[in-house]
Amino acid sequence: MDNPFERYDLDPREGIAAITARLKELAEDARDEAERARIRAAWEELTLHPARRLRAALFAHPETRGPLGTPPPLPRRRPAPAAALELRDLAARPSVLEALGAAAPADDDVPSLEDDPVLRGLP
């Protein structure tokens, strides 16, 4: 199927006024009467028949490539997935020294997390 949007480089998202203006320019620049007749037939197809215009617009293939000479796009970097945190990852763990029966070194300036009343009830 010959698509008039692709044949005459028309944007399918534009309305009847833009289609008419573009095809009028092409008709004025046409070399012969046969070419003008083809342009007029395309204009009638796209402006007088809404269902046909919709079908042609849906089957038009937009150009998705960049202009010639431009470098290819950089690959997209996906962010690393964030690890799911649980309460046990956030809570302080029991002292290894206390579990072994050894005394922790005394440091009067730093309070111990084991004495925190919020953390006492955690396993």
Side-chain angles (χ1 to χ4, degrees), residues 10-21:
L10 300 170
D11 187 356
R13 297 171 292 183
E14 293 183 350
I16 293 174
I19 292 171
T20 302

Side-chain angles (χ1 to χ4, degrees), residues 36-93:
R36 279 191 195 90
R38 285 192 299 272
I39 293 171
R40 179 162 179 80
W43 176 80
E44 289 176 358
E45 181 82 13
L46 296 176
T47 59
L48 301 179
H49 305 285
R52 293 180 190 169
R53 181 176 66 242
L54 176 63
R55 185 181 67 231
L58 292 175
F59 286 111
H61 300 288
E63 182 62 51
T64 57
R65 299 172 294 182
L68 290 176
T70 58
L74 295 174
R76 295 182 183 176
R77 293 186 180 174
R78 294 183 181 166
L85 294 177
E86 296 181 9
L87 182 61
R88 66 178 175 201
D89 297 328
L90 300 175
R93 304 201 188 265

